Amino acid sequence: MTLTELRYLVAVARERHFGRAAEACHVSQPTLSVAIKKLEEELDVKIFERSSGEITVTPLGQELVRQAQVVIEQAAQMKDIAKRGRDPLAGPLRLGVIYTIGPYLLPELVRQVIDRTPQMPLLLQENFTVKLLEMLRNGELDCAILAEPFPDAGLAQAALYDEPFRIAVPAQHPLAAREAISAEALKQETLLLLGNGHCFRDHVLEVCPEFARFASGAEGIQRSFEGSSLETIKHMVAAGMGITVVPELSVPQEVPRHIRYLHFEAPIPTRRVVLVWRRSFTRYEAIAALRNAVMACELPGVARING
């Protein structure tokens, strides 16, 4: 068997479709199918159950797929070890970031990395927490920047900063003249939420638990609307459709005239942002360099966590 065949194996298990797996591997479907058949014959086991339009992995096949992922990662580590002998930071770093952090952290972080470690370009992926964790486990990412809490995947992690939340209200709203308001004061307001899958949605519902009953189902549609991104929701706030809760770094330095950003009264809700990576990942210097680059960013209004 070859590493190429093992990569095909992992791709089919991930995509559950030979055509999509072939496309992901940049080969023709017949080439991939022949390689998988050869692998099954060599191992004398059935790895995939094939039916009309659907591929499932057999129980024994799941074990083989996990082992193939380990072998692929270890083979990549051999290259990493060789590179580290010449330059510990040489080569791209594949970084995942959740949607509610990426637009506000990445512009300066990328500049910092280019200035500090130009030999280590960032290959970036924005996605939901669950998807990024899956990509980390599969070896598709080297590390990710997430907000706690998230499912424990046995990952190593380093805290980056604690980020307070702010309240965005229309400029003409009765609350707009206040400097700070309590979470209790939001109970009577129309709250605009991110859609399902965004961990920040869950953070907001922790701050305002009374809105959880409106967050799913049509019954509470008059009280709770959903948007696909924080920027979309901000436009809805500016148009007077309701209020929302946002992370500190998303507050622009020059506030638009149709929206106001208010502070929470104590206790101020926050989220902890962390850098996570697989414990088997060997480029420790790259992780340290990335963390140092984050700490060198301005990050107005957040509390950096040193050490």
Side-chain angles (χ1 to χ4, degrees):
M1 70 185 71
T2 66
L3 281 173
T4 298
E5 290 170 348
L6 296 182
R7 291 190 182 98
Y8 293 168
L9 172 66
V10 171
V12 174
R14 181 179 65 244
E15 300 293 341
R16 302 297 174 94
H17 190 277
F18 278 88
R20 290 194 297 271
E23 185 178 345
C25 294
H26 307 290
V27 297
S28 67
Q29 184 171 334
T31 297
L32 182 138
S33 297
V34 168
I36 294 296
K37 188 173 186 297
K38 173 178 174 292
L39 189 58
E40 288 182 319
E41 290 175 351
E42 180 179 348
L43 296 173
D44 193 24
V45 296
K46 194 168 189 178
I47 301 174
F48 299 107
E49 294 282 354
R50 301 160 175 84
S51 61
S52 57
E54 185 174 327
I55 301 293
T56 57
V57 188
T58 65
L60 184 57
Q62 291 175 350
E63 291 185 43
L64 291 170
V65 169
R66 284 194 292 270
Q67 186 60 38
Q69 291 170 335
V70 171
V71 172
I72 292 168
E73 184 175 336
Q74 289 177 340
Q77 287 176 4
M78 292 180 67
K79 295 181 180 179
D80 289 341
I81 291 169
K83 287 179 181 177
R84 286 171 60 197
R86 300 188 299 272
D87 182 351
L89 300 177
L93 186 68
R94 299 172 298 174
L95 171 65
V97 187
I98 58 175
Y99 290 117
T100 57
I101 292 178
Y104 316 111
L105 175 63
L106 286 179
E108 187 175 0
L109 177 59
V110 169
R111 287 193 294 271
Q112 289 287 347
V113 170
I114 290 173
D115 290 344
R116 292 163 166 266
T117 53
Q119 72 276 39
M120 188 185 77
L122 295 179
L123 301 181
L124 302 170
Q125 168 75 232
E126 274 190 304
N127 219 309
F128 297 113
T129 298
V130 171
K131 180 61 177 177
L132 295 178
L133 289 173
E134 178 187 341
M135 295 177 75
L136 273 172
R137 287 193 296 268
N138 293 340
E140 299 172 68
L141 289 175
D142 299 321
C143 53
I145 296 176
L146 309 175
E148 291 185 327
F150 51 84
D152 182 10
L155 299 169
Q157 70 177 61
L160 297 174
Y161 55 84
D162 288 332
E163 182 176 21
F165 298 164
R166 297 276 289 276
I167 306 158
V169 303
Q172 304 306 316
H173 194 282
L175 295 174
R178 298 171 60 173
E179 287 294 321
I181 58 178
S182 66
E184 185 76 12
L186 304 184
K187 281 186 175 181
Q188 305 305 317
E189 302 298 328
T190 297
L191 184 67
L192 308 179
L193 293 169
L194 286 170
N196 283 318
H198 291 276
C199 60
F200 191 73
R201 169 197 177 94
D202 300 327
H203 296 158
V204 173
L205 290 176
E206 287 178 14
V207 176
C208 311
E210 61 276 1
F211 285 94
R213 67 183 184 276
F214 298 118
S216 60
E219 185 178 346
I221 195 68
Q222 294 87 357
R223 295 289 303 282
S224 174
F225 299 83
E226 295 183 357
S228 59
S229 73
L230 284 176
E231 295 309 307
T232 298
I233 287 180
K234 288 179 186 178
H235 290 306
M236 295 166 70
V237 171
M241 295 181 65
I243 70 171
T244 195
V245 177
V246 299
E248 179 70 37
L249 289 184
S250 75
V251 177
Q253 296 300 300
E254 295 184 9
V255 179
R257 61 190 180 93
H258 296 299
I259 194 168
R260 297 288 182 271
Y261 292 94
L262 313 178
H263 294 277
F264 273 97
E265 292 178 355
I268 299 172
T270 64
R271 66 175 178 179
R272 173 154 293 186
V273 175
V274 299
L275 175 63
V276 300
W277 64 95
R278 292 185 307 283
R279 295 186 186 278
S280 59
F281 187 59
T282 59
R283 295 178 63 191
Y284 312 114
E285 297 87 351
I287 295 295
L290 179 64
R291 186 173 188 275
N292 290 337
V294 173
M295 293 304 176
C297 294
E298 287 192 17
L299 306 180
V302 310
R304 291 174 176 79
I305 301 173
N306 298 309

